[in-house]
Structure formats: C-alpha cells, structure tokens
Amino acid sequence: MLDQLTAAKIMGAVIFMEKTITGLELQKKNPNRINVYLNNEFAFGISRFVGTGLKQGEKIDELSITQLLEKDTREKAFQKAFHFINYRPRSVHEVKEKLGELGFSESVIDAVVNELLIKKYLDDCEYAENWIASRVRSKPRSQKMLQYELRKKIISESIIEEAIKSAPSNNELALRLGKKYLRRFAHIDEKEFSKKMTGVLARRAFPFSVIKTALIELNNIRNESI
C-alpha cells in the first residue's frame, strides 16, 4: 500500500502533467468557439474569449485546463443570461431561475449574476420601477396588486417599498383604469355601469373607498359627454 507522501506525489504529478498545444481552430458551426488540440489529439472546445491567451506550441497542465473549462462554463452561462435579459428586462430571481433550468451549478449562477450586477445589466430597483411604470401606462391596477406582482417575482420588500413611491395614488390609478372602460360601457345605463366598474376595480384590488370615489368621477365624465 502506498504511503501518504508517495500518493500525494503521484497525485501532484497527475494534476500538473503538461501537454503541448498542437492545434487551435475555429469551430465550423460556431466561429465564436475554438477547438483545442493537445499532443495532436482533440481535447476540448472553448470560447474564443476564454482561449484568447492560448498559443500553439505552448505547454499546458491539467490544472490550467480545468481552470479554462470552468471559465468557459461561466462564459456560457453569462452569454445565456445576457441573451435572456436582452430580450426584455428581468429580475435577479428570473435570471437565477433560468440558468438553473439550463443546468448550471449554483456557484456558476452566483458568479454570473454577481458579474451582471456589477456591470449594471441587472438591477432589481430599476426593474421594479420600470415594471410599475409599464403597468401604470398599459394596465392600471392598485398599488396593492402592483406590490403583489413584484413579490411574485421575488423582489425584496425594501425595493418594493421604495419603487411603489413612484406609482400614482390609488385614486389616480383607479380613474385611469376606469377611463379605459368608458367607451366599452358607453351603451349601458348608470346603474349597470357602476355595477360593472365596481367589479373591474375590485378585481384589481382597489379599496372600496377608492372605488366609490372613482365611480362618482367616472359617472360625471359620462354625463358630461351626453
């Protein structure tokens, strides 16, 4: 049986065994990646960005190869995440969830997300404010519902509390929503209009006091247009 010192020396020799880089070529299907040949045999493929320092004829050991492959995995994850957030804004949780679905390890995901945060490609504060602005513009709803939607996206409470300050008041939101229904409900009488609008506003989680105020203003607008 090998003693511990002898075993350690053997392991060290395996880890630091050097090979020669005998070929570097662009992949035909993906010119952003290169094939690396060691001792005249194909060894692995990596990103051109990751392999930018490799030169034919140089020696490379197993530890360096492992580090290159780990860096390449992080680069793959970064590009996947960048494409994901480039399609439309995403929260930190959404990016983590997506990378997890793609099979990347927790350590790789954390490293990539940290890099995206540092480079300002990810920002939950900005994401929350933009989400609220978009909802207010296209699909008004109560502040309570806006907060609920952000919680579902795993945005922190402190960020939600700060972002909701940028939203109009509930009274303004209710009126904006109600105005979108004036034309649709133009053919019905005031009683039926109030009934239908109460349902619309209640489903967006507006308080009854806000609904009551909004109905008065909306019916006044209807009467003025007659």
Side-chain angles (χ1 to χ4, degrees):
M1 181 177 292
L2 296 175
D3 59 45
Q4 289 184 339
L5 180 59
T6 302
K9 287 181 178 179
I10 293 174
M11 286 297 295
V14 171
I15 292 173
F16 295 105
M17 186 180 298
E18 290 186 331
K19 295 182 180 180
T20 302
I21 300 174
T22 53
L24 298 168
E25 64 177 21
L26 295 178
Q27 294 184 0
K28 293 179 180 179
K29 293 184 177 180
N30 187 352
N32 289 318
R33 295 183 64 78
I34 58 176
N35 290 328
V36 179
Y37 292 82
L38 302 177
N39 295 347
N40 297 312
E41 293 184 353
F42 172 76
F44 52 85
I46 57 172
S47 160
R48 288 178 64 183
F49 171 75
V50 174
T52 188
L54 297 179
K55 294 180 181 179
Q56 193 164 331
E58 287 187 340
K59 300 289 187 180
I60 185 170
D61 58 40
E62 294 294 332
L63 180 60
S64 297
I65 292 171
T66 298
Q67 291 172 340
L68 274 173
L69 294 176
E70 288 175 349
K71 189 174 180 180
D72 183 62
T73 298
R74 288 195 299 272
E75 177 63 15
K76 284 180 183 177
F78 182 88
Q79 292 303 325
K80 292 289 185 182
F82 187 76
H83 178 75
F84 186 56
I85 62 180
N86 200 40
Y87 181 72
R88 69 171 176 80
R90 310 283 183 174
S91 67
V92 168
H93 174 74
E94 286 176 316
V95 172
K96 285 185 174 182
E97 191 173 54
K98 182 64 175 179
L99 292 177
E101 290 172 358
L102 293 173
F104 292 103
S105 68
E106 187 174 341
S107 61
V108 168
I109 293 172
D110 288 342
V112 168
V113 166
N114 188 54
E115 184 177 356
L116 290 167
L117 287 168
I118 291 172
K119 293 180 176 179
K120 302 298 182 181
Y121 291 130
L122 273 182
D123 185 334
D124 272 0
C125 293
E126 184 178 341
Y127 175 87
E129 290 182 1
N130 288 341
W131 175 267
I132 290 173
S134 175
R135 284 306 211 202
V136 168
R137 183 173 57 254
S138 60
K139 298 178 180 179
R141 56 207 53 217
S142 68
Q143 289 191 1
K144 181 179 180 180
M145 183 164 280
L146 290 170
Q147 291 172 303
Y148 170 74
E149 290 176 341
L150 289 172
R151 289 190 186 100
K152 284 181 65 178
K153 295 181 177 296
I154 321 299
I155 303 297
S156 73
E157 283 298 321
S158 60
I159 290 177
I160 293 174
E161 288 176 11
E162 188 62 31
I164 203 66
K165 294 177 183 178
S166 67
S169 67
N170 272 330
N171 285 329
E172 175 62 23
L173 289 167
L175 190 58
R176 288 191 189 190
L177 177 60
K179 286 179 177 179
K180 290 180 177 289
Y181 284 81
L182 288 177
R183 180 175 296 181
R184 184 186 302 184
F185 295 156
H187 64 287
I188 59 180
D189 61 30
E190 184 174 317
K191 182 178 179 180
E192 187 65 17
F193 173 79
S194 295
K195 180 180 178 181
K196 287 184 177 294
M197 276 310 310
T198 296
V200 169
L201 293 168
R203 285 192 292 275
R204 271 71 173 183
F206 285 104
F208 178 72
S209 60
V210 172
I211 294 174
K212 185 177 179 181
T213 300
L215 289 177
I216 293 172
E217 294 190 49
L218 291 168
N219 276 310
N220 286 338
I221 295 172
R222 274 165 52 91
N223 292 333
E224 289 171 2
S225 64
I226 295 175

